[in-house]
Amino acid sequence: MSQPPLMHHQSTISDYANIVDDNSTNKHWSIRQANSRLQAYGLQSALEKDLNRQFGHDEKAIPMSDLSATESLYTSNPFLSGASMIQQPHQAQAHRSLRHKTYGFQDPFAVAPMEAWQEIKDYNLRVNGLPTLDQMMRLHTYSPLTQSNFSSFLKRRNVQQNLNFLMELETHDKLWRAYLQSVDRQNRQRLSRFLESAAEKSSGVLPQNAMAHEGGYLETPDTEDLLSPLPPQPLTPKSPSHLDAYASRTTLNGDKSLNRHDLVQNALRIYRTYCTSVMEAAQPILLPDDHRRALETLIEKYERPEPVVFDSARSHVFEVLNVFYYPLFVEEVLYKNVSRGSSRVAMVLGMLLLILAYSIELSFIFLDSGATTSRLIPIAPFFFGWSFLLTSINDFAWWFGLVSMSEIGFMVYSEIQDVTVKRSHFKRGWLWLAMTIILSAVNTIIFVFIPSHRI
């Protein structure tokens, strides 16, 4: 059976699908197998790999340049603007042995490792029913995967200023949108007044002091200042005593409306609080030097309050949280349900109860008192002792896991509402309960069979 020719004209996916169907009797493969690898390799490389498997003895690579990629790769950072950094590499050389072909696929970690790692991590979170960092910040998520718990987690590591910076920028975005709406509303009001005055002119009802212009156009005092620029308003000087007044909604004339001066002051407050040098900022965040210089030029020198000015800094801080801290937070939520303070208290209680249990068993042995069955009495302190000791080691209490409770702070408890976290804690609760019962039973049985020896 001769091979169907592979033409160099414009090809489509249906053409390759027809080739697959015509030759499916020889080898078992299908387009579904290619689509199943869409997440890992992409549609182009999957189709090319399957086609080269069918025509394996051909030394020519199948021309895939006619298939244009229409799917844009997903990036987990919502603040990255422009095209994704993970781009499809150039095709491999056409004449190369099949044993050394890469099928047009290049490892995305070699092109953009940070974005590729975030994409894989967020994909795993979505597959397991857990929210990503972007979803947790923008949507209503269930306890304990909430923004407040994430803020407490960052506060324990003294890096909560990164999340505060992102929230400040969200507020600044809302203020900017409100300012644009206010400007649009003022423009529409001024245009409405202008049209009303024009209608009065056309009807012949004119004030006595109206001045005539060429072409019959008349200007009245109520329309003379419609296109006049607003007087400039001075900025607050760069002084620490004025930091609280940067986001003031009241202008110098007592007007309560939001204006550009307020936006500039709020941008200055955010910059001087988070983005200046470590010695000057109240809550410094880690930013590259080029980001700091760009922010200083745009905000301090040119007084630009647009939210796009902070885009590079916002993207950098989001990547830091998403790569380093959010995975630790998710791991802590899934595998821990007690605080550090309660874990230390549980360790002390566990040690005391185990000492009590071993003391009772040894007293039965060396004092030769009581029957053999009386040595089963310490099984209760053994059980609770091992329960507390294992809780201190793993930071997980099996009784909290069974009742779907979690300790978000010392003696501060919260009900678990997220289904995935609740299922994970329930399984781990039964696992550690079984482990505790086994340890208690083994300790008790060992002492039961030890013969008595009175001292």
Side-chain angles (χ1 to χ4, degrees), residues 398-417:
W398 59 263
W399 53 91
F400 286 158
L402 296 181
V403 297
S404 299
M405 296 293 293
S406 179
E407 187 181 20
I408 58 179
F410 184 69
M411 303 298 290
V412 179
Y413 304 100
S414 174
E415 182 183 0
I416 299 176
Q417 298 176 344

Side-chain angles (χ1 to χ4, degrees), residues 124-185:
N124 291 333
L125 289 175
R126 292 192 299 271
V127 166
N128 291 280
L130 298 173
T132 62
L133 177 59
D134 179 53
Q135 292 173 342
M136 188 190 67
M137 293 182 61
R138 297 178 181 274
L139 305 176
H140 174 71
T141 54
Y142 296 103
S143 177
L145 292 170
T146 59
Q147 184 176 321
S148 60
N149 291 340
F150 185 50
S151 178
S152 301
F153 170 82
L154 296 176
K155 189 175 182 179
R156 293 195 297 268
R157 287 158 175 78
N158 298 322
V159 290
Q160 73 277 8
Q161 63 270 18
N162 294 279
L163 184 61
N164 295 341
F165 175 69
L166 294 182
M167 301 311 300
E168 288 276 10
L169 294 184
E170 290 290 336
T171 304
H172 188 69
D173 289 348
K174 294 178 182 178
L175 292 177
W176 176 257
R177 290 193 294 269
Y179 165 71
L180 294 181
Q181 294 175 0
S182 176
V183 171
D184 181 67
R185 183 170 57 254

